[in-house]
Amino acid sequence: MPHLSGAQYGKDNIRVYKVHRDEKTKVHTVVEMTVCVLLQGDIETSYTEADNSVVVATDTMKQTVYILAKEHPVTPPELFGATVAAHFTDTYKHIHSAQVKVKVHRWTRINIDGQSHPHSFLRDGSETRNVVATSTDEKGIEIRSAISGLLVLKSTGSAFHGFVRNEYTALPEVWDRILSTEVDAGWVWNTYKSLKDVESAVPEFDKTWDEARTITLTKFAQEESPSVQNTMYHMCEDILAAAPTVQSVEYSLPNKHYFEIDLSWHKGLKNTGADAEVYAPQSDPNGLIQCTVSR
Ligand SMILES: O=c1[nH]c(=O)c2[nH]c(=O)[nH]c2[nH]1
């Protein structure tokens, strides 16, 4: 007998922009985010018997996100995600789990002649700050925060040698290479019992995001990296040390390769090893190195 062994539904790609206008200073602060809401619960009959009486329309989810954005703070995203998730499990008895993903896009204040402009912003990169808040009847509110799409490169200070060598190995060992990656770093907070607990933790969210970003950039830039694996492990250790209420840290780092180009066929041009200056950036395939470090 076929049976429904899993079901969730919701609204994805809800785009929201909110402005705060300071009446006194005339300074505007803006937030732009993309939200996804996914619900689970006693919704089987909507699939199996066309029973729409259990369906909270996905359009209602979108309207709810707009209304909650109007009535509540949208920053930090951990608080807004938890507010939306708790709304769905609290409001609808038959909804037992609500997962809310919030992706915050960068709008950085424009500087004109050394002065922060009061109402003009620029998109300085495709990096986003991401949060997944999940409210469940039994567990409370689980939150994962993340940095995503932070593209970095170092032109030296990275090596890779001592790896397995056999008849399948073509890669030469290197003591000096280019290292580039697009950082995806996530950290999972100890579970909160209620929205009140999330509200009490609010000061930690921006602070930890800031620290995680600084740790990532500092370790990346300053460490003599023996491998992506070892460098990302050190980043995880530092974030766990900086944020006592974080239970685990995860990194997912693509290794964006830059290949040397042998140009010796052209008039004996030297462009390899210590003479390498012109490289060919590779779009694919790429290494993909991941880890989770728990307390
Ligand atoms: O830091 C690295 N880790 C690897 O596992 C690996 N594999 C590879 O081909 N290059 C690299 N670099």
Side-chain angles (χ1 to χ4, degrees), residues 18 36 202:
K18 186 176 184 183
C36 172
V202 157

Side-chain angles (χ1 to χ4, degrees), residues 49-60:
E49 295 167 32
D51 170 18
N52 287 346
S53 71
V54 297
V55 177
V56 178
T58 69
D59 188 71
T60 305

Side-chain angles (χ1 to χ4, degrees), residues 160 171 177 227-229 255 257 289:
F160 188 59
L171 187 73
R177 67 174 179 173
S227 65
V228 174
Q229 284 90 331
N255 193 357
H257 307 297
I289 321 285

